[in-house]
């Protein structure tokens, strides 16, 4: 495909005084013809911000101002001097006093080539409007959602000082959710991905990559908390042609060795490999080293005092037997009387021994993960959102959601590699199911688990209107696939006012969709619907101030 050029005579030089701007048409395009002391210029008349006409603005020397929002452009080439995107500039020829403007319509490839730098500029400054417009323009020009999201991943990942974080996990889910949209409607999920990647990394310097070295043992480097060695090993193995499954197994073993960062080690590993499945393994060098960096830096919570009792039970567990145990689909196991679920929810200590016994008695690891998801879903349903407004509680909604997303990550790992390492990971999710009840054990307010009565209705509308009880009822009544899709669309609709909360709404909704399909229960969807619909205090500044004052005054750490 070649560029298409349209020419038109738009007037005479003698009829255009210096300092004048005039509207003209060249084919279907509306063009601003401008005469300055330096000559005659032609730009698109539509300001790239919202399309207002430049000729209705002002011209001062070589500077054009769109009066609607004070964006300013250089007349000679359309460069944006105050604002965001440049305005397209067109060729001008003058012969015998006649002004001819030539408009070249770029091919899709040429349009994409021009738009990528603009998108990167918008991303670097976190100009969400610019990213939105460039995303829509790129989709129109044939770019894929995968390519656009990858542009954000590639820019953000080196800026994460301690490795990838919530933004990457959110971006992976947003890319999955883009499958629910067609054409340029994909702008919404793609833009959410870009915004989530850009928010925590804006204005941060890049961390350099180490030299690849496949001779380094990745597991030992991670265990030694040597991020440069871990990254060098990862890069070296990729460059040496290691199979993705081999490297994935090493990283799953690393995250299964510890309860990492309240489950984030496993969650991030799942999301990175899911993202690479979408964008192509050839892009692994631009992402996997940053995953290993985050795993290396993550808190080993299993080494902390609050996990000692649970860790004694986990260390004593027969992981080989758990890994070899038959699946609940083969044994017909059910959680009779919800005994396992109740133990995970309400035992005074983490019921690791009960969980292990259930696995060996017919639940299998899959049945344990089913029950963890159901237990944490129930915890979300009985959580009182008023607790989020009590700044003395260092625990809230977002923390509980990790119980579902961690279980989902463990299931992903287990389905790919049924090993002792992934069986151990399942036991960590059982511990987290218990720990998500921390606020309840402190005496935080708790609502009675509602009588779950399905009622047909629009779950997305209930979420967006903040009708939490209706959202739960509608989620229970509807087809699980349709409810999951409705929740996914609602999660992208910006009801959360901070990116970190939006990330958790999106991640929980996606995990709930997948868990509902795996378990055959709508309970995770109902829990996600309630979380998405209920009031939440964006409490990060206020909570940090309260926590800092308490620490400075008392010298005591937060309660666990």
């Amino acid at each position: 495909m070649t560029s298409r050029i349209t020419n038109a005579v738009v007037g005479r030089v003698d009829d255009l005084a210096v300092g004048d701007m005039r509207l003209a048409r060249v084919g279907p395009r509306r063009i601003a013809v401008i005469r300055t002391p330096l000559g005659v210029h032609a730009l698109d008349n539509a300001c790239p911000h919202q399309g207002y006409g430049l000729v209705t603005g002002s011209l001062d020397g070589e500077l054009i101002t769109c009066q609607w929002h004070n964006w300013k452009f250089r007349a000679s080439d359309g460069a944006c001097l105050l604002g965001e995107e440049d305005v397209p500039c067109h060729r001008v020829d003058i012969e015998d006093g006649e002004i001819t403007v030539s408009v070249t319509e770029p091919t899709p490839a040429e349009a994409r080539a021009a738009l990528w730098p603009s998108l990167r500029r918008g991303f670097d400054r976190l100009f969400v409007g610019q990213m939105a417009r460039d995303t829509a323009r790129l989709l129109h020009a044939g770019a894929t959602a995968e390519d656009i999201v990858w542009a954000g991943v590639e820019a953000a990942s080196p800026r994460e000082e301690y490795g990838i974080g919530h933004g990457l996990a959110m971006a992976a889910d947003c890319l999955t959710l883009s499958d629910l949209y067609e054409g340029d409607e994909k702008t919404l999920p793609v833009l959410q991905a870009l915004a989530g990647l850009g928010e925590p990394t804006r204005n941060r310097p890049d961390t350099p990559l180490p030299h690849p070295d496949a001779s380094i043992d990745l597991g030992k480097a991670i265990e030694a908390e040597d991020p440069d060695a871990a990254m060098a090993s990862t890069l070296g193995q990729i460059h040496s042609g290691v199979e993705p499954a081999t490297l994935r197994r090493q990283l799953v073993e690393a995250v299964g060795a510890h309860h990492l960062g309240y489950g984030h080690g496993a969650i991030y590993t799942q999301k990175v490999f899911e993202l690479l499945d979408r964008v192509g393994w050839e892009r692994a060098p631009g992402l996997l080293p940053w995953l290993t960096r985050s795993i290396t830096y993550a808190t080993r919570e299993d080494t902390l005092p609050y996990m000692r009792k649970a860790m004694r039970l986990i260390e004593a567990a027969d992981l080989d037997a758990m890994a070899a145990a038959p699946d609940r689909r083969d044994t017909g196991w059910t959680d009779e009387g919800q005994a396992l679920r109740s133990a995970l929810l309400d035992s005074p200590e983490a019921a690791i021994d009960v969980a292990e016994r259930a696995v060996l008695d017919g639940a299998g690891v899959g049945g344990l993960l089913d029950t963890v998801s159901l237990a944490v879903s129930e915890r979300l349903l009985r959580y009182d959102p008023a607790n989020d407004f009590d700044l003395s509680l260092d625990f809230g909604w977002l923390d509980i959601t990790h119980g579902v997303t961690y279980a989902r990550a463990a299931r992903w790992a287990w389905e790919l590699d049924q090993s002792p390492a992934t069986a151990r990971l399942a036991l960590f999710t059982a511990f987290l199911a218990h720990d998500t009840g921390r606020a309840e054990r402190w005496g935080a307010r708790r609502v009675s688990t509602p009588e779950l009565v399905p009622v047909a209705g629009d779950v997305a509308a209930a979420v967006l209107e903040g009708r939490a009880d209706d959202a739960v009822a509608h989620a229970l009544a509807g087809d699980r696939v349709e409810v999951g899709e409705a929740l996914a669309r609602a999660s992208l609709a910006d009801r959360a006012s901070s990116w970190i909360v939006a990330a958790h709404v999106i991640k929980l909704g996606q995990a709930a969709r997948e868990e509902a399909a795996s378990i055959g229960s709508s309970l995770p969807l109902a829990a996600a619907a309630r979380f998405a619909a209920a009031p939440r205090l964006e409490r990060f500044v206020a909570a940090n101030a309260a926590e800092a004052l308490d620490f400075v005054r008392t010298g005591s750490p937060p309660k666990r």
Side-chain angles (χ1 to χ4, degrees):
M1 184 180 294
T2 59
S3 304
R4 180 167 54 85
I5 301 174
T6 304
N7 303 308
V9 175
V10 297
R12 298 188 59 82
V13 173
D14 292 344
D15 297 330
L16 189 67
V18 173
D20 280 354
M21 296 191 291
R22 181 177 299 171
L23 180 65
R25 283 192 176 275
V26 179
R29 298 284 281 268
R30 297 164 70 87
I31 301 298
V33 182
I34 305 141
R35 187 172 182 185
T36 74
L38 297 182
V40 178
H41 316 290
L43 305 176
D44 269 8
N45 186 53
C47 175
H49 178 211
Q50 292 183 337
Y52 292 108
L54 294 184
V55 296
T56 65
S58 64
L59 176 63
D60 182 6
E62 300 296 317
L63 187 69
I64 302 169
T65 297
C66 177
Q67 304 287 30
W68 287 93
H69 299 99
N70 208 37
W71 284 30
K72 299 181 186 298
F73 305 92
R74 190 164 53 217
S76 59
D77 60 5
C80 186
L81 305 178
L82 179 66
E84 297 171 10
E85 304 107 295
D86 298 338
V87 63
C89 178
H90 307 288
R91 176 175 169 174
V92 174
D93 293 296
I94 299 175
E95 186 174 350
D96 296 330
E98 287 189 333
I99 304 169
T100 299
V101 173
S102 300
V103 172
T104 301
E105 297 291 350
T107 65
E110 290 169 340
R112 293 194 300 271
L115 285 165
W116 289 121
S118 179
L119 179 70
R120 177 60 186 262
R121 288 193 300 273
F123 182 87
D124 288 344
R125 297 181 292 178
L126 198 63
F127 285 174
V128 177
Q130 182 176 358
M131 290 191 292
R133 293 184 293 273
D134 282 338
T135 294
R137 292 164 183 151
L138 279 162
L139 290 168
H140 274 287
T144 66
E146 286 80 3
D147 285 341
I148 301 170
V149 170
W150 178 254
V153 171
E154 190 174 40
S157 295
R159 299 177 185 171
E160 293 275 15
E161 185 176 1
Y162 301 111
I164 61 168
H166 287 286
L168 188 283
M170 176 182 178
D173 282 341
C174 287
L175 185 54
T176 299
L177 298 184
S178 72
D179 292 340
L180 302 177
Y181 297 81
E182 297 292 335
D184 58 8
E185 294 296 324
K186 291 180 184 286
T187 297
L188 174 58
V190 170
L191 181 62
Q192 285 283 18
L194 294 175
L197 290 162
E199 178 74 28
T201 60
R202 177 175 45 171
N203 298 326
R204 296 185 63 105
D206 284 4
T207 298
L209 283 171
H211 185 74
D213 187 348
S215 69
I216 297 172
D217 186 294
L218 177 57
K220 290 180 179 178
I222 290 173
E223 196 63 30
E225 298 188 43
D226 186 341
D228 288 338
M231 295 172 75
S233 173
T234 304
L235 280 172
Q237 292 190 67
I238 295 170
H239 292 327
S240 68
V242 69
E243 289 294 320
T246 301
L247 196 45
R248 184 188 65 222
R249 187 176 301 111
Q250 294 176 54
L251 291 169
V252 168
E253 288 177 355
V255 299
H258 295 283
H259 179 43
L260 289 177
Y262 216 64
H264 285 111
I267 295 165
Y268 294 162
T269 301
Q270 174 200 4
K271 296 306 176 185
V272 163
F273 278 94
E274 286 182 346
L275 184 62
L276 288 173
D277 286 343
R278 295 285 300 245
V279 302
W281 180 250
E282 68 276 7
R283 286 168 163 163
L287 182 53
L288 271 183
W290 309 110
L291 170 63
T292 55
R293 187 177 184 86
S294 67
I295 292 172
T296 305
Y297 274 125
T299 302
R300 275 79 169 148
E301 297 202 21
D302 51 291
T303 66
L304 297 175
Y306 85 104
M307 280 197 69
R308 282 178 186 157
K309 291 181 180 179
M311 284 310 301
R312 284 196 290 269
L313 295 172
I314 291 174
E315 295 300 339
D318 189 342
L319 298 177
D320 290 318
M322 289 178 62
D327 187 75
R328 81 281 196 204
R329 293 189 178 92
D330 298 322
T331 65
W333 177 89
T334 58
D335 187 14
E336 182 136 2
Q338 298 188 355
L340 176 57
R341 182 160 144 190
S342 296
L344 294 173
L345 274 171
D346 296 322
S347 292
E349 302 289 345
I352 303 301
D353 50 347
V354 179
E356 181 192 7
R357 255 192 333 270
V359 170
L360 300 178
D361 288 347
V365 169
L368 172 58
L369 294 172
D370 291 352
T371 312
V372 168
S373 284
L374 292 169
V376 181
S377 295
E378 182 175 336
R379 179 110 53 212
L380 284 164
L381 287 167
R382 74 191 196 189
Y383 179 81
D384 187 343
N387 291 318
D388 268 20
F389 295 82
D390 182 351
L391 297 182
S392 69
L393 289 174
D394 183 35
F395 195 83
W397 275 103
L398 301 193
D399 305 279
I400 301 175
T401 67
H402 295 167
V404 177
T405 50
Y406 196 16
R408 185 63 208 167
R411 192 188 303 277
W412 167 84
W414 172 253
E415 289 176 348
L416 290 168
D417 186 15
Q418 297 177 8
S419 68
T422 49
R424 180 184 174 95
L425 193 57
L427 290 180
F428 282 137
T429 72
F431 168 80
L432 194 64
H434 165 79
D435 199 57
T436 56
R438 188 191 316 166
E440 293 179 13
R441 292 189 292 278
W442 292 343
R445 288 178 292 269
R446 167 181 158 182
V447 298
S448 298
T449 303
E451 185 179 356
L452 301 178
V453 179
V455 178
D458 187 337
V459 65
V463 167
L464 295 175
E465 293 166 11
R467 295 182 282 111
D469 290 345
D470 288 344
V472 170
H474 300 338
L476 291 170
D479 174 84
R480 282 193 290 272
V481 173
E482 293 176 0
V483 168
E485 291 186 3
L487 275 177
R489 293 176 185 273
S491 74
L492 293 169
D494 262 1
R495 191 169 181 272
S497 60
S498 74
W499 80 270
I500 191 67
V501 175
H504 282 79
V505 172
I506 289 168
K507 288 191 296 176
L508 176 63
Q510 181 60 14
R513 289 177 68 201
E514 295 170 344
E515 284 296 277
S518 294
I519 300 168
S521 168
S522 295
L523 200 66
L525 294 170
R530 183 168 187 260
F531 175 68
R536 295 173 302 273
L537 178 63
E538 315 302 339
R539 56 188 233 158
F540 293 99
V541 173
N544 274 278
E547 182 179 315
L549 284 172
D550 184 65
F551 173 62
V552 170
R553 289 168 177 168
T554 70
S556 299
K559 180 170 56 174
R560 286 292 307 189

